[in-house]
Amino acid sequence: MPSIILAAAEEGGSEEKNNFLVPNATFLFELVSFAIILFVLWKWILPPINNAMTERQNKIKAQFEEAEKLKAEAQAAEAENQSQLAEARAEASRIREEAREQGAQIVAQHREQAVVEAERITSAAQAQIEVERAQALAQLKNEVGTIATTLAGRIVGESFDDDERSKRSVDEFIAGLESAPKSEA
């Protein structure tokens, strides 16, 4: 059956010869439909699309400009932060140097006070030693005098109970010893 339909189509088409230069009704209908669709697209669809595209391009341009502006502000803020950081570091360095100087002054003052205190303590100790030496010497004189009078009384066989006479004898003896030239040992 398909061969019969194909043969009938060839027979019917051979009676009428189509001229390709003369347009047929389908072609004219398609051409008019295309023109109407093109007009509708051109008049009502393309302008909103173009407007949307233009608006989008403007928004993108504005966003780029905003981004550039923010980038410049960020760079300026960073530069300001860097300068403030440098100033803070310089200030910290200056404060550390002042603290070192003050520390050195405090150490020098305390050292000076320690030297003065040491000298005061040394002189007080020397005065105390002199006082104790004088007391020990006086006590020693009394004890030596008592021992000497007791010993002299035993040797002589006489009692030197008279304190005034024995004290005078001891003092004269000690004065004689102090005035005598000291021999080098």
Side-chain angles (χ1 to χ4, degrees):
M1 254 207 347
S3 59
I4 298 174
I5 296 174
L6 190 55
E10 286 179 11
E11 286 178 20
S14 59
E15 292 178 9
E16 229 178 89
K17 282 266 181 167
N18 283 338
N19 189 359
F20 71 90
L21 293 176
V22 176
N24 61 12
T26 335
F27 176 72
L28 288 177
F29 178 73
E30 289 175 352
L31 187 61
V32 169
S33 297
F34 180 72
I36 290 172
I37 291 174
L38 192 58
F39 177 75
V40 168
L41 284 174
W42 191 262
K43 185 75 175 169
W44 288 290
I45 296 181
L46 285 180
I49 292 174
N50 283 339
N51 288 340
M53 288 178 54
T54 305
E55 187 177 314
R56 181 69 181 147
Q57 286 176 348
N58 289 339
K59 283 183 181 179
I60 290 172
K61 226 183 259 184
Q63 287 176 349
F64 275 126
E65 289 171 359
E66 181 75 19
E68 288 295 323
K69 180 181 170 187
L70 290 175
K71 184 178 177 182
E73 288 176 3
Q75 287 175 346
E78 184 180 353
E80 184 178 340
N81 286 342
Q82 291 295 331
S83 68
Q84 287 176 351
L85 184 61
E87 289 174 9
R89 285 180 180 156
E91 181 70 16
S93 176
R94 184 187 61 77
I95 289 171
R96 277 193 305 269
E97 190 59 36
E98 286 178 4
R100 272 192 208 113
E101 290 173 5
Q102 288 176 352
Q105 289 175 352
I106 290 170
V107 167
Q109 287 175 344
H110 285 293
R111 210 176 266 154
E112 187 176 310
Q113 288 175 353
V115 168
V116 168
E117 186 67 19
E119 288 175 0
R120 185 189 64 76
I121 290 171
T122 303
S123 64
Q126 287 176 347
Q128 181 70 24
I129 289 171
E130 284 299 318
V131 168
E132 289 176 2
R133 183 176 173 258
Q135 287 175 350
L137 189 58
Q139 189 179 9
L140 186 61
K141 280 183 184 180
N142 286 337
E143 287 181 18
V144 168
T146 305
I147 292 172
T149 55
T150 305
L151 188 59
R154 283 187 188 165
I155 291 175
V156 173
E158 205 178 297
S159 173
F160 290 109
D161 287 337
D162 183 13
D163 284 340
E164 187 63 34
R165 190 172 69 170
S166 64
K167 195 175 206 182
R168 194 175 52 239
S169 299
V170 169
D171 287 340
E172 287 175 9
F173 179 74
I174 290 177
L177 285 176
E178 288 178 353
S179 64
K182 295 183 180 180
S183 64
E184 293 182 20

